[in-house]
Amino acid sequence: MSPIYKGLRDINKGGIPTHEFLSHLQRIWRSSIQKGRHAHARFAIAVSGGVDSMALAKLCIEAQLYSQRRELPSVHFSAFTVDHQARDGSRSEAERVAIQLRNMGLDTSVLTLQWPDGVVPLELPNFETAARRMRYQALSKACRDSRVQDLLLAHHNDDQAETALMRLVEGRWSEGLCGMKGEAGAPECFGRYGLCQSGGRELTALEKDSERDVGLMERKENPNDFNAANYSHQKPDIIHQDGFEYGGIRIHRPLLKYSKQHLEKICRDAGLDWIEDETNRDPTKTVRNAIRQLLSTDSLPMVLRKQSLNCLAQRATLKAESRNKRADELFQKCQVVRLDARSGRLIVRIPTQSFDPTPEGSELAAHDSIEFQQVAARVIRRVVQIISPDEKISLSSLERVYKSMFHEHPSSSTQSSIQSAFTTCNVKFTCLGSSTETPDSQSLASAEIKDGKSLYDACTWMLERQNPMRGNLPAEIRIPRRRKVSFSETKKLSSWQLWDRRFWLRVMPIPDADLVVCAATGELLNSLRQSLKYAEARKLSLLLHDAVPGKSRFTLPILVEEEEGGRKRTPLALPTLGFRKTEGGQGLRWTVRYKQIELPRATQENWNGLVEKGVIVPLDTGLNFWSERFEPKQFRDDIAVRKLSRANMFKRERIKRRNRPRAKFLGDKIL
């Protein structure tokens, strides 16, 4: 036991030792700090009133009391109780649980789910799925509003066994049998700002003053202390630079290794009452209820009982963790040649020839193709996630990429069946080492030629968003219309919206105008170009050529104004490029950020240098219309030539006027 836990009594002999629970919370907190999130150890608890969540609440109260005795005010817990409105009496039960938690010393709020009018929840065929989605969204929103990023759930060992058996019934295998994870992002919240992989920048701004009051510093004594000042600033695993989003709610399950009997013993010894939900006993309501009833009996074979299922889930988890660890080592070897966040295009060098997915001393041989494919597919998935708009990417969908990169490389002349350009997961892959065509952007060509030789080889790939089909365009975002009531009212930005699951946008609308963010089709781009003056049209052409050459420009968002009831659309701006039309877009402002991504640590450590070299081109996140910093060099040179020509013209005019013979006046006559 750590020295700092001496004298700390356990809640119950034979229950869950408090020091173990505190150690787990400490790991969660340190993980949050490493990811660049808030410095205060603040947690939220989801309490349903059942025995498992009441035991979790008791453990958290013990941890909070301990932190107060140690004069560590940075540890704080708050509880949320969800009223599903699925049966009579649910509201009174939720209020009763809230009162009990408040008496125990926890700040508690009751969250009520709102079902559509005329819907009877228990009669829905997908009641379990719908209730789960609404519950997680309500809990995550409550955490965001309370400025809490870590949510504790009371899932235990028995729940893990039920999940493993459910997945076996569904026909899953390998990674699908891992069961519930101890830590994960908030489920059912993708695309909601502040809930899933976003909102960290705003929360950091709110936390800045409180963090300054805590007095952040590096301190070596008492390394296991819970004090918020006791940590060193580490490089986060994800990008925290301007122009990129990060953050979101994380859920944690600290009780997964404990059985329900442990939790019942804690509640009994503490004299706590809990509620048994009658709907959980009906095996006809949900699949989980049926499986729970089967596991509670001895009718199943030994290999399908709780202990065997938990061992199966644990073995699958350990195997996946081993593969993920090896994949992370290989991912760090990847080299980012070019990352343009304005268009979402990545050029990366994946040194496949140096990859050895099997660690030294492993029982697996180097020729084990299954293990090789599992590890390599994980590396590819992390690269694809930088560009792909898909929320989840399965390893099986990357089979074509794996064969092209690792098995039969496209550069081989004997393997003509393997294509050097293909599309999967809504991402277009192009092998630059084997492609006869060079990138359209001249800036890329100049940046990647050294000593007269191209840096592209057979391991260099370009990834960009697949051009969407006309019938499958990204969903449009409609900006709420605002009338010009006052200056302060029209100055407000709209709420954050995720366009194409890649760009977070919010717009300060023009008064009395219907604005829409949609895909930049060829028709809209031509209309925008024709409505510009020569200087602006030239500027737009050079900008498109530099940022999104070729058909990739059709994957950009464009801001248009709808007229005549939506029959006519007038393009106004390209937000990710920082370009706005001068005439017709006066007063138009926006803020744009790229989605949360993860890059190799070497790239992050040299971020500023890579930005100066043009290897990384982040988004212009401000409300400016044009970023001078990332202005195309061609455009700057063009402007300089025109300024020089204009100055020379004025100079010639002055010389001509100076050398013109002067007229002499003599009376009313001119000589």
Side-chain angles (χ1 to χ4, degrees):
M1 183 184 299
S2 176
I4 69 170
Y5 298 123
K6 285 183 178 179
L8 179 63
R9 67 177 182 87
D10 292 346
I11 292 179
N12 177 48
K13 295 181 180 180
I16 300 176
T18 311
H19 71 274
E20 289 186 11
F21 182 74
L22 282 170
S23 299
H24 192 89
L25 291 183
Q26 190 180 40
R27 289 192 295 271
I28 295 174
W29 173 68
R30 289 179 179 273
S31 176
S32 297
I33 295 299
Q34 186 176 2
K35 290 180 173 62
R37 290 151 69 181
H38 58 77
H40 291 189
R42 292 205 298 262
F43 303 93
I45 319 167
V47 182
S48 63
V51 62
D52 46 2
S53 58
M54 294 302 295
L56 176 61
K58 182 60 178 176
L59 288 168
C60 291
I61 290 171
E62 287 293 319
Q64 188 168 349
L65 292 175
Y66 169 74
S67 66
Q68 292 175 358
R69 291 196 298 268
R70 299 278 299 182
E71 297 182 355
L72 303 174
S74 58
V75 181
H76 178 74
F77 296 92
S78 57
F80 298 113
T81 300
V82 179
D83 174 18
H84 289 78
Q85 290 288 306
R87 54 185 173 83
D88 297 336
S90 62
R91 180 66 185 182
S92 60
E93 287 183 1
E95 292 291 349
R96 189 162 65 251
V97 172
I99 293 173
Q100 187 176 6
L101 293 174
R102 294 189 188 107
N103 294 335
M104 294 168 62
L106 283 174
D107 297 333
T108 308
S109 302
V110 177
L111 310 176
T112 304
L113 302 185
Q114 300 295 333
W115 296 89
D117 295 338
V119 173
V120 180
L122 292 179
E123 295 181 359
L124 293 174
N126 61 337
F127 166 71
E128 185 179 16
T129 303
R132 179 180 184 272
R133 180 180 66 253
M134 296 176 64
R135 179 172 62 251
Y136 275 120
Q137 291 178 359
L139 289 170
S140 301
K141 185 177 183 299
C143 290
R144 180 194 62 187
D145 297 341
S146 302
R147 292 163 55 185
V148 176
Q149 290 185 288
D150 296 293
L151 175 64
L152 303 182
L153 304 180
H155 292 120
H156 47 77
N157 201 256
D158 294 4
D159 296 329
Q160 189 75 296
E162 295 169 6
T163 303
L165 184 54
M166 288 177 62
R167 295 186 176 181
L168 274 175
V169 172
E170 294 172 357
R172 300 192 189 184
W173 61 285
S174 185
E175 190 173 342
L177 297 177
C178 292
M180 293 180 289
K181 296 181 179 179
E183 178 185 355
E188 310 293 347
C189 296
F190 186 77
R192 295 177 178 268
Y193 189 78
L195 307 186
C196 180
Q197 300 182 351
S198 58
R201 199 170 302 278
E202 277 67 18
L203 184 61
T204 302
L206 294 173
E207 292 286 345
K208 187 177 296 184
D209 295 335
S210 57
E211 288 181 2
R212 189 182 299 112
D213 296 338
V214 173
L216 302 179
M217 65 184 73
E218 295 187 4
R219 199 173 66 185
K220 295 184 179 179
E221 66 270 20
N222 241 352
N224 294 323
D225 207 333
F226 235 126
N227 195 342
N230 183 26
Y231 78 98
S232 59
H233 294 279
Q234 304 180 23
K235 284 286 184 182
D237 295 335
I238 57 177
I239 295 297
H240 281 211
Q241 305 294 340
D242 291 341
F244 295 88
E245 268 297 346
Y246 66 92
I249 308 301
R250 303 289 296 178
I251 62 172
H252 306 271
R253 300 180 176 94
L255 306 179
L256 279 181
K257 70 177 186 177
Y258 302 105
S259 66
K260 190 173 183 178
Q261 284 99 4
H262 287 89
L263 307 181
E264 288 177 349
K265 188 170 179 55
I266 290 175
C267 291
R268 284 196 301 266
D269 292 346
L272 296 177
D273 296 330
W274 64 84
I275 298 174
E276 294 288 349
D277 192 348
E278 296 178 358
T279 58
N280 292 337
R281 299 179 180 178
D282 188 353
T284 63
K285 293 291 184 184
T286 63
V287 177
R288 184 174 288 274
N289 286 358
I291 289 180
R292 184 181 296 118
Q293 186 179 26
L294 284 174
L295 290 175
S296 63
T297 64
D298 296 333
S299 59
L300 292 176
M302 289 295 298
V303 294
L304 294 179
R305 294 185 183 180
K306 292 181 182 179
Q307 185 176 2
S308 300
L309 291 171
N310 285 322
C311 290
L312 175 64
Q314 186 177 7
R315 288 196 301 269
T317 300
L318 293 176
K319 188 66 174 179
E321 289 177 353
S322 175
R323 290 171 174 173
N324 290 335
K325 182 179 179 181
R326 184 57 182 158
D328 180 70
E329 297 175 358
L330 302 180
F331 177 73
Q332 303 305 328
K333 297 181 180 181
C334 298
Q335 177 187 359
V336 176
V337 180
R338 170 88 170 186
L339 173 61
D340 196 332
R342 298 173 298 177
S343 57
R345 184 176 54 165
L346 171 69
I347 297 181
V348 60
R349 187 177 185 274
I350 305 177
T352 56
Q353 297 176 356
S354 64
F355 277 16
D356 182 14
T358 55
E360 296 182 2
S362 174
E363 297 179 358
L364 297 170
H367 62 270
D368 191 342
S369 60
I370 297 179
E371 185 68 15
F372 187 98
Q373 183 173 358
Q374 287 291 323
V375 176
R378 283 166 167 79
V379 179
I380 298 172
R381 179 167 61 181
R382 295 181 64 174
V383 175
V384 172
Q385 285 174 340
I386 301 175
I387 304 300
S388 177
D390 295 349
E391 178 184 2
K392 296 180 180 180
I393 299 175
S394 63
L395 297 178
S396 59
S397 63
L398 301 174
E399 182 177 0
R400 180 191 295 184
V401 187
Y402 164 74
K403 289 182 178 179
S404 299
M405 288 186 178
F406 290 87
H407 273 190
E408 299 170 342
H409 208 277
S411 61
S412 176
S413 59
T414 60
Q415 304 294 343
S416 58
S417 60
I418 301 299
Q419 299 178 353
S420 61
F422 51 88
T423 300
T424 186
C425 301
N426 289 315
V427 175
K428 180 182 177 182
F429 292 79
T430 305
C431 182
L432 301 181
S434 62
S435 177
T436 57
E437 300 179 1
T438 58
D440 296 333
S441 175
Q442 293 183 7
S443 60
L444 284 180
S446 61
E448 291 149 6
I449 292 179
K450 185 176 181 180
D451 299 332
K453 298 181 180 180
S454 174
L455 298 183
Y456 294 143
D457 56 16
C459 300
T460 306
W461 292 80
M462 180 170 66
L463 284 70
E464 52 190 345
R465 173 71 162 93
Q466 177 190 7
N467 293 332
M469 305 298 292
R470 182 167 293 274
N472 192 26
L473 295 176
E476 298 179 349
I477 298 176
R478 295 189 173 274
I479 309 302
R481 184 170 184 172
R482 291 177 181 171
R483 298 189 179 276
K484 188 173 182 180
V485 180
S486 63
F487 176 75
S488 59
E489 185 69 21
T490 56
K491 193 177 179 181
K492 294 181 180 178
L493 289 165
S494 63
S495 59
W496 286 100
Q497 300 284 340
L498 183 61
W499 186 85
D500 194 27
R501 294 174 287 187
R502 295 184 299 147
F503 297 103
W504 287 100
L505 284 160
R506 60 176 179 175
V507 180
M508 183 186 298
I510 303 174
D512 300 328
D514 296 324
L515 300 181
V516 179
V517 180
C518 59
T521 61
E523 181 181 356
L524 289 175
L525 288 176
N526 291 334
S527 176
L528 176 62
R529 189 180 293 106
Q530 293 172 4
S531 64
L532 301 176
K533 296 181 180 180
Y534 171 78
E536 282 187 315
R538 173 66 174 164
K539 176 180 176 180
L540 176 61
S541 298
L542 293 175
L543 184 60
L544 291 173
H545 182 73
D546 176 77
V548 277
K551 295 182 179 180
S552 300
R553 60 193 59 177
F554 301 139
T555 64
L556 294 178
I558 187 170
L559 192 58
V560 301
E561 178 184 0
E562 279 193 348
E563 298 174 342
E564 300 178 3
R567 292 188 296 272
K568 179 182 178 182
R569 288 188 168 184
T570 304
L572 301 177
L574 293 168
T576 61
L577 302 184
F579 181 84
R580 177 206 66 141
K581 186 169 70 172
T582 303
E583 297 182 0
Q586 293 84 353
L588 183 63
R589 301 289 193 276
W590 63 80
T591 306
V592 58
R593 294 173 189 160
Y594 198 70
K595 67 175 184 176
Q596 175 177 298
I597 62 173
E598 183 179 354
L599 295 176
R601 282 187 288 271
T603 302
Q604 301 182 47
E605 293 172 356
N606 194 26
W607 182 271
N608 294 331
L610 295 177
V611 170
E612 293 178 359
K613 294 178 181 178
V615 174
I616 296 177
V617 184
L619 286 165
D620 180 18
T621 60
L623 300 179
N624 334 347
F625 301 134
W626 181 259
S627 175
E628 297 289 343
R629 184 179 181 185
F630 304 112
E631 203 173 57
K633 184 177 184 300
Q634 287 178 292
F635 179 72
R636 294 198 300 268
D637 294 344
D638 186 65
I639 292 295
V641 169
R642 280 191 282 161
K643 286 182 178 179
L644 181 61
S645 301
R646 190 173 180 84
N648 291 337
M649 181 184 69
F650 288 145
K651 183 177 180 180
R652 288 194 299 270
E653 288 291 335
R654 287 195 300 271
I655 295 175
K656 187 176 180 179
R657 287 196 300 269
R658 187 170 61 246
N659 296 335
R660 185 182 302 168
R662 298 181 179 179
K664 298 181 180 180
F665 290 85
L666 183 59
D668 294 335
K669 296 181 180 181
I670 300 178
L671 301 179

